[in-house]
Amino acid sequence: MFCDANGIRLAYGDQGTGLPLVFLHAFPMNRSMWAPQVAALSKQFRTITIDLRGHGESDAPLWNFSLDQYADDVCALLDYLALPQAVLVGLSMGGYVSFAFSRKYGSRLKALVLADTRAQADSQEGRTGRFNLAQTAYRTGSNAVAEAMLPKLLGPISLKNKPELIESVRSTIHQTSVSGILVDLMAMAARPDSVAHLRTITCPTLVIVGQEDHTTPLADARLMAAEIPGARLAVIPAAGHLSNLEQPDAFNDLLRSFAEEVR
Ligand code: MLT
């Protein structure tokens, strides 16, 4: 499905009824990464998945957007669907967008799930890494980006034992346009630090992290859970950065109990 949001065509999926759970994907993925969650949870909840601008079937204009713009798009979709509030489930870059959303539209948050993400801004070294990846994307396309990202996205256990998952993540990244990748990299490099914002989050919050996540590791998750009032932390064993895909049953169980609690 599509909606017009802030001058672009935004693609989204909408299945089930009840408490709306809005899923925000990682870089450089798209909404298809939430398939295991939609399959398991749409029987009980309304699951809404968004292709953030530059991804999947959404438009991918090459422009200097910030993550605030992505948050504005999420808000435009909530308005379009006439949803006063929703539970945001943001993984990694989706978590960064959730912080931007929380700053601008905090009253629209029923609850928040921050998975495999971090509140800190990029370090100088991190920004240099993004610049180098942007060069790779521009020179050689999304295939090279997929090879660079796979070891950061999947944990060692999945990289060893889950060839089908590796292939599926690779193929999702291949579908991402270079303009989408470049805009994400610039927007993530420019994002503000959200550590001071954590204390101001007032909605129920669940922090999830894969035990083998080396991209946004346990220490980052602990910081978010410690600073957000009342937040809980859950660690998923045998999962890396894409914990929802690496251990979907564990991820779904956590999400289901949390959503049942807050509904
Ligand atoms: C992601 O999974 O969204 C990215 O790895 C986040 C990042 O590069 O900071």
Side-chain angles (χ1 to χ4, degrees), residues 58 64 107 113 117 126 134 156 160 164 170 187 209 251:
S58 289
N64 60 342
S107 65
V113 179
T117 191
K160 187 156 175 260
E164 282 170 18
R170 178 180 278 130
V209 65
F251 193 98

Side-chain angles (χ1 to χ4, degrees), residues 35-74:
Q37 284 65 52
V38 171
L41 298 165
S42 61
K43 297 174 196 96
Q44 226 179 321
F45 304 102
R46 183 168 179 186
T47 57
I48 296 165
T49 55
I50 303 180
D51 280 339
L52 295 169
R53 59 174 60 210
H55 298 262
E57 297 173 286
S58 289
D59 289 342
L62 180 50
W63 195 246
N64 60 342
F65 299 120
S66 71
L67 291 181
D68 278 12
Q69 179 65 66
Y70 295 42
D72 291 344
D73 295 343
V74 174

Side-chain angles (χ1 to χ4, degrees), residues 26-27 92-93 96 130 149 153 188 215 241:
F27 165 83
S92 197
M93 182 177 76
Y96 307 157
R130 299 217 192 270
M149 287 304 295
L153 295 175
M188 288 193 289
T215 300
H241 190 57

Side-chain angles (χ1 to χ4, degrees), residues 19 34 39 110 159 221 262:
L19 178 70
W34 298 111
K110 172 87 177 158
L159 286 169
V262 302

